[in-house]
Amino acid sequence: MNFKKPSGKTVTDTAAMTGGVLVGGMVSKAVFGLIHNPDATEDAAQQEKNESAALYKHLGLAVATGAGAFFIDGKDTLTGVAKGSLIGMSVTQLAEVIAKLAKKGGVKTESQASTAGEKALARAVGLGCSCSNLSMGLGNLIPQSYRYNLIDNNPSMGLGTSALDLSMANDPLAITPAI
């Protein structure tokens, strides 16, 4: 490995690949959301089935997009963007697989960890946020997020007594329509 003064082409190519990796990671999460949409259930067997299906889908996407990056050849900027996008998709899916396997393997989340080593390990494998909800294949989405609840007229949470108040919904995926 040699360090040298970067040329304009090197800077452009690196920026294109970096942008591609970023966009690929975001697209990867969207694609996974399209192909894996389990029903919410309290049945433990069905949850385990959903988790296993999500794991295989993550692996499939990682392998397919990683292999796709091998087949792209070229020296232009568009090639860098395309290759970076496929690499970003693959890396994002592999990170999800690692987090799921670590969780199944008994690695504690950062909030559960008691030592600095356990906390560092949790962060390294993607379990650093105590808000991670891996049970439904949603990756690192916050399980209790603010949603629009158009019926609740709680003046302390939004616009007073109008039908457009914002409040914390009990079901994080529910959006209550106005009546």
Side-chain angles (χ1 to χ4, degrees), residues 31-38 49-51 53-55 57 136-137:
V31 168
F32 181 79
L34 291 173
I35 66 171
H36 186 74
N37 190 14
K49 184 179 174 185
N50 287 341
E51 289 174 12
L55 185 64
K57 289 174 184 177
M136 296 301 290

Side-chain angles (χ1 to χ4, degrees), residues 10-85:
T10 306
V11 170
T12 303
D13 291 346
T14 303
M17 181 159 295
T18 303
V21 168
L22 177 65
V23 169
M26 293 180 341
V27 168
S28 178
K29 289 183 177 196
V31 168
F32 181 79
L34 291 173
I35 66 171
H36 186 74
N37 190 14
D39 295 329
T41 180
E42 302 232 353
D43 181 27
Q46 185 63 35
Q47 285 180 354
E48 180 63 32
K49 184 179 174 185
N50 287 341
E51 289 174 12
S52 294
L55 185 64
Y56 288 120
K57 289 174 184 177
H58 282 300
L59 279 172
L61 275 173
V63 169
T65 55
F70 291 129
F71 292 104
I72 294 177
D73 189 29
K75 303 275 185 202
D76 60 334
T77 304
L78 183 59
T79 301
V81 171
K83 196 167 197 161
S85 295

Side-chain angles (χ1 to χ4, degrees), residues 84-97:
S85 295
L86 291 171
I87 291 169
M89 292 176 82
S90 184
V91 167
T92 299
Q93 294 305 314
L94 287 173
E96 292 291 332
V97 168

Side-chain angles (χ1 to χ4, degrees), residues 2-15:
N2 294 324
F3 288 98
K4 61 181 181 175
K5 182 179 176 186
S7 67
K9 173 108 173 95
T10 306
V11 170
T12 303
D13 291 346
T14 303

